[in-house]
Amino acid sequence: MAMNSMLLAQLMKDMQDPEMMREAQQMMQDPSFQAHMKKTMQSNGFQEAMEQTQESMKDPEKVKEMEEQAQKSIEEGNKQLEELEKQKEKLAAKEKKGDTEDSAEDEKPSAADTSTKEEEEVEEVPDITSINLN
């Protein structure tokens, strides 16, 4: 859920950016995008997801639960984005100093540490190319 939380937080930030929203509007006006969205919306998976969402929205308790879950995910994602930004700043500062080779090895986690984290993230992020929109 970590990656999804970060993506959700980034989406919420992007929606506050007027330039980003103008670009999104232009993209949505593109005929090829509209055709793709039409195919997506007609798919059985999309239709089922919409029905489930509509059903959930009828129950005030479920709505409250979903809102709380979304808010928690956004807060978690914001923390992750802040941490990522700090790491980027550290790396940029080290690159300016010219000592990236020495310090990069110091901060690398062991292979054992990264493999479980990578496996967890891989399970959470769907392979976009394998999604069938037909």
Side-chain angles (χ1 to χ4, degrees):
M1 185 71 148
M3 181 62 78
N4 291 337
S5 296
M6 191 164 57
L7 293 173
L8 178 60
Q10 185 64 55
L11 173 65
M12 298 305 288
K13 287 184 180 191
D14 290 346
M15 289 176 64
Q16 301 301 315
D17 182 351
E19 183 178 341
M20 186 72 77
M21 295 308 295
R22 275 192 296 277
E23 288 180 30
Q25 185 178 22
Q26 288 176 347
M27 179 182 70
M28 288 186 272
Q29 292 172 349
D30 183 306
S32 63
F33 177 82
Q34 291 175 357
H36 176 74
M37 287 305 298
K38 185 175 181 179
K39 281 176 71 174
T40 300
M41 293 172 66
Q42 292 173 343
S43 72
N44 290 335
F46 184 86
Q47 293 294 326
E48 290 172 12
M50 286 302 296
E51 288 174 15
Q52 290 175 355
T53 300
Q54 288 173 343
E55 193 63 35
S56 295
M57 298 299 281
K58 292 177 184 178
D59 182 355
E61 289 297 316
K62 283 186 180 179
V63 170
K64 184 178 178 181
E65 181 182 324
M66 288 187 294
E67 288 174 349
E68 289 171 355
Q69 184 178 4
Q71 188 61 37
K72 182 180 175 185
S73 291
I74 292 168
E75 289 171 6
E76 180 183 318
N78 282 330
K79 289 177 186 175
Q80 293 169 351
L81 286 172
E82 288 172 14
E83 183 61 34
L84 183 63
E85 190 60 35
K86 287 178 187 176
Q87 290 175 358
K88 285 181 182 179
E89 289 172 5
K90 284 181 183 179
L91 183 60
K94 287 179 182 180
E95 286 178 353
K96 276 188 174 181
K97 290 181 182 178
D99 64 342
T100 55
E101 292 179 21
D102 295 333
S103 60
E105 291 181 8
D106 294 342
E107 291 190 18
K108 284 185 181 176
S110 70
D113 293 340
T114 58
S115 64
T116 52
K117 288 181 183 178
E118 289 173 359
E119 289 170 6
E120 290 173 7
E121 288 182 13
V122 169
E123 291 177 13
E124 295 176 17
V125 180
D127 180 11
I128 304 264
T129 57
S130 69
I131 296 174
N132 184 2
L133 300 175
N134 294 328

